[in-house]
Amino acid sequence: MPENIHQHYNTKFYKIFKTKTDTIFIILTITVCEMKKISKRKSEHLYLRIAGTIEQQIMEQVLKIGDKLPSVRLLAKEHGMSVSTILQAYYHLEGKGLIESRPQSGYYVRFNPSRFPQKVEKSNPLQTVKAKNVEAIIGEVYDDFSMPGLTRFSLSVPAPEILPLARLNKSMMQALRDLPGNGTAYEHTQGNELLRRQVARWSMHWGGHLQANDIVSTAGCMNAISFCLMALTQPGDTIAVESPVYFGVLRFAQSIGLKVLELPTDPDTGVDPDDVKKVLKSHAIKACFFVTNFSNPLGYCMPDEQKQAMVKLLSKNGVPLIEDDLYGDVYFGKTRPRSCKSYDEEGNVLWCSSISKTLAPGYRVGWVAPGKYIDKVKRLKLYHSITNASAQQAAIASFLASGRYEYHLRKLRQTLHSNSLQFIRAIGEYFPEGIKLSAPQGGFILWVELDKKIDTYQLYREAMLHKISIAPGSMFTLQERYENCMRLSYGMPWTNDIDKALKRLGNLVKEMM
């Protein structure tokens, strides 16, 4: 028997010892370890299954606000599970704000997000309207990001507290050691090969069939979108977008002389192919841009059959689709939604994404699979940036290759789903009656529609006096629209301070009415 057997315990690496007995012992030890891991995963699955059943009963109002839940011991006995497993399920629901513990009494249903607030209605932008200049508002909101002590509901990135910073640091240090010149040498113009291979491998999660050579790395997702717009259009051309839409796309389109047509957008399903079909008959559309999964800022997720119909329609009419799939990995359901790219048979979809919303915003690592436009995109990248930062690409490639990304995403999705429910509950409690709210099934953004009397830019100015930052709705259109709307991010840990900030914001809204 080896002297220090504990060094071999709980690891997949082992040494073949001289005697047959020792070898069998080590293999059996590893088998026991693997069984323990399987048992742990099974336990995690059980508590999530119990929590999911209770959550569904709350959503369907089988269990109503104020109803008492079965005791932990009774539920454990009924399901033949341990008390700790049931407690885990209750803690999980408590973290989402759906139930609460009352001392000496038990657990009670606290909140049902289906009750309030009302859902946002389908947008209906005009097809001809005087453009509005909101660059000053955007600049003001972004300039305030550096203010210390600010509650940043306006910032659409995950907070550092919910990111695997230690693991990322290790990946970065390893990249600096392994790269030629410790990361000071130029990377290949198309991008780090390992990164592109990992992105291609990951595409299987959404039905993609990409190869490393199909992908070009970029400095974040917006950089990828910019290359796509430049590759597809000339000054004076018209592009069609959802509405409201991420302001960065609007600003860049304007900067290169494009006209923007804003389309009606459903808060649950996004842009309807029938609406696109109508504008294709009346306008010379050079390209469409849609955030198909958990859009910024409306939060919709286009159904798979709608994605397929959209790809078929645009391909038939020779109109390329720029698909921003930045939030697709942050889903709250059981499976990741597909991307339009998965239905693309002719290379007509330019699929853009990055890890800016899931892993490392400041690394500025993104990519695009431009389909049949790849040569144009590669040429533009060569002209505009030559290549991207070597170390960041290599670090992210290493992180993806290690298998840590999926583990991180599972934790991130749980945190953000809980946050979304906490935000909806708080907004329902603290804001005036009659407001409307999006109901995203992924991502970390809420779209809030207030009373028509409220100007959210003025609300922003008032909130900043209390060190609370929001994103006014007028930032997300070129039209005279959405002045009474705002975007809120729930991409930070839920705390009492966050709850107080939402309460303060709700009181400010009441004071403005």
Side-chain angles (χ1 to χ4, degrees):
M1 207 68 65
E3 293 180 5
N4 193 2
I5 192 66
H6 297 290
Q7 291 180 358
H8 300 273
Y9 193 81
N10 231 356
T11 177
K12 291 185 178 180
F13 300 101
Y14 59 91
K15 179 180 179 182
I16 302 299
F17 291 90
K18 291 181 179 180
T19 67
K20 184 177 179 181
T21 306
D22 287 338
T23 304
I24 294 172
F25 182 85
I26 297 302
I27 292 173
L28 286 175
T29 301
I30 294 160
T31 304
V32 170
C33 295
E34 293 301 317
M35 290 176 65
K36 286 187 176 182
K37 291 177 183 178
I38 293 169
S39 178
K40 183 179 179 182
R41 288 196 294 267
K42 185 177 179 181
S43 175
E44 290 175 353
H45 174 74
L46 287 174
Y47 92 80
L48 288 174
R49 190 179 71 188
I50 294 295
T53 300
I54 297 173
E55 182 173 346
Q56 185 177 357
Q57 290 179 333
I58 293 172
M59 298 299 184
E60 295 173 353
Q61 297 197 51
V62 175
L63 290 170
K64 299 181 179 179
I65 293 176
D67 283 356
K68 185 177 181 179
L69 297 176
S71 72
V72 172
R73 293 188 180 279
L74 177 61
L75 207 58
K77 185 177 181 180
E78 286 180 352
H79 290 272
M81 298 178 183
S82 68
V83 169
S84 63
T85 299
I86 303 301
L87 279 172
Q88 275 186 296
Y90 278 3
Y91 293 156
H92 183 71
L93 294 169
E94 194 173 19
K96 289 185 174 184
L98 294 174
I99 68 174
E100 63 181 353
S101 173
R102 298 180 186 175
Q104 310 299 320
S105 182
Y107 286 90
Y108 291 79
V109 178
R110 180 188 186 190
F111 173 62
N112 186 335
S114 65
R115 282 193 54 193
F116 58 87
Q118 300 178 55
K119 292 181 69 174
V120 176
E121 297 176 359
K122 183 177 181 178
S123 67
N124 189 28
L126 299 174
Q127 291 189 13
T128 55
V129 67
K130 183 179 178 181
K132 179 180 180 181
N133 188 340
V134 294
E135 288 185 9
I137 297 176
I138 296 172
E140 188 175 351
V141 172
Y142 268 73
D143 287 345
D144 288 335
F145 280 173
S146 60
M147 180 184 292
L150 190 67
T151 301
R152 295 176 178 84
F153 293 139
S154 56
L155 190 58
S156 62
V157 294
E161 294 88 340
I162 59 176
L163 297 176
L165 301 184
R167 292 287 189 181
L168 280 171
N169 289 340
K170 289 181 179 179
S171 294
M172 178 62 79
M173 294 303 296
Q174 187 65 46
L176 290 173
R177 285 193 294 268
D178 295 344
L179 283 169
N182 298 120
T184 59
Y186 271 176
E187 187 61 81
H188 189 279
T189 299
Q190 194 165 339
N192 180 281
E193 185 179 0
L194 178 58
L195 173 65
R196 291 185 286 116
R197 277 197 277 119
Q198 291 305 315
V199 172
R201 180 184 63 84
W202 192 258
S203 72
M204 294 186 295
H205 289 264
W206 48 262
H209 302 283
L210 299 177
Q211 303 294 324
N213 285 337
D214 298 327
I215 297 163
V216 180
S217 72
T218 59
C221 191
M222 189 60 229
N223 188 224
I225 294 165
S226 301
F227 288 150
C228 293
L229 286 172
M230 288 189 288
L232 300 174
T233 64
Q234 297 292 330
D237 287 344
T238 299
I239 63 169
V241 304
E242 60 200 45
S243 183
V245 65
Y246 173 56
F247 57 83
V249 173
L250 296 175
R251 300 304 132 197
F252 183 79
Q254 278 191 319
S255 75
I256 60 173
L258 301 181
K259 299 174 184 177
V260 179
L261 184 65
E262 299 182 31
L263 300 177
T265 307
D266 187 277
D268 291 326
T269 60
V271 177
D272 193 317
D274 288 339
D275 289 328
V276 176
K277 190 174 183 179
K278 291 176 185 176
V279 300
L280 289 178
K281 292 179 180 179
S282 57
H283 293 76
I285 304 297
K286 285 292 184 178
C288 289
F289 169 84
F290 303 133
V291 187
T292 53
N293 293 321
F294 319 121
S295 74
N296 176 7
L298 205 52
Y300 75 81
C301 183
M302 189 180 289
D304 288 347
E305 62 273 14
Q306 194 165 313
K307 291 171 183 165
Q308 189 172 20
M310 186 72 76
V311 171
K312 185 177 180 181
L313 171 68
L314 294 178
S315 181
K316 180 181 178 181
N317 287 272
V319 177
L321 168 61
I322 303 172
E323 180 182 26
D324 181 348
D325 193 20
L326 193 54
Y327 302 89
D329 287 336
V330 192
Y331 55 90
F332 300 156
K334 293 182 179 179
T335 58
R336 192 210 196 274
R338 296 185 67 162
S339 297
C340 284
K341 186 66 177 176
S342 66
Y343 300 106
D344 181 27
E345 297 178 355
E346 300 181 13
N348 199 52
V349 177
L350 298 87
W351 175 75
C352 305
S353 191
S354 86
I355 45 78
S356 295
K357 306 301 183 184
T358 56
L359 189 59
Y363 279 27
R364 310 311 302 142
V365 174
W367 49 81
V368 54
K372 61 187 177 183
Y373 305 99
I374 188 168
D375 289 337
K376 288 185 177 181
V377 169
K378 285 165 62 177
R379 195 177 308 120
L380 282 164
K381 181 182 176 182
L382 178 63
Y383 295 161
H384 285 265
S385 60
I386 302 178
T387 186
N388 300 119
S390 300
Q392 285 89 333
Q393 289 187 80
I396 295 303
S398 173
F399 193 95
L400 295 178
S402 71
R404 297 173 189 146
Y405 189 48
E406 177 54 39
Y407 173 76
H408 160 65
L409 283 177
R410 284 199 299 269
K411 293 179 64 178
L412 181 67
R413 288 192 288 260
Q414 286 186 13
T415 298
L416 293 177
H417 190 193
S418 297
N419 286 0
S420 71
L421 296 175
Q422 291 281 23
F423 268 64
I424 293 170
R425 175 197 58 77
I427 291 170
E429 288 182 9
Y430 303 145
F431 282 57
E433 292 185 7
I435 68 166
K436 295 179 180 180
L437 192 63
S438 62
Q441 296 304 304
F444 44 86
I445 292 168
L446 287 175
W447 182 251
V448 186
E449 184 179 326
L450 304 173
D451 188 276
K452 295 289 185 183
K453 293 180 285 189
I454 304 295
D455 184 331
T456 51
Y457 173 63
Q458 293 302 321
L459 175 62
Y460 163 78
R461 299 294 298 273
E462 289 292 325
M464 283 300 295
L465 298 177
H466 301 272
K467 292 193 172 183
I468 300 171
S469 177
I470 64 169
S474 56
M475 293 168 56
F476 302 92
T477 181
L478 294 177
Q479 303 183 4
E480 298 284 343
R481 296 179 57 80
Y482 310 129
E483 285 92 346
N484 63 317
C485 300
M486 62 179 170
R487 186 191 72 181
L488 299 179
S489 168
Y490 50 85
M492 71 287 287
W494 178 261
T495 63
N496 287 334
D497 288 340
I498 296 297
D499 188 75
K500 290 176 183 177
L502 286 172
K503 187 173 185 178
R504 176 72 267 184
L505 192 60
N507 288 336
L508 290 174
V509 174
K510 292 175 182 177
E511 292 169 8
M512 294 178 69
M513 293 186 66

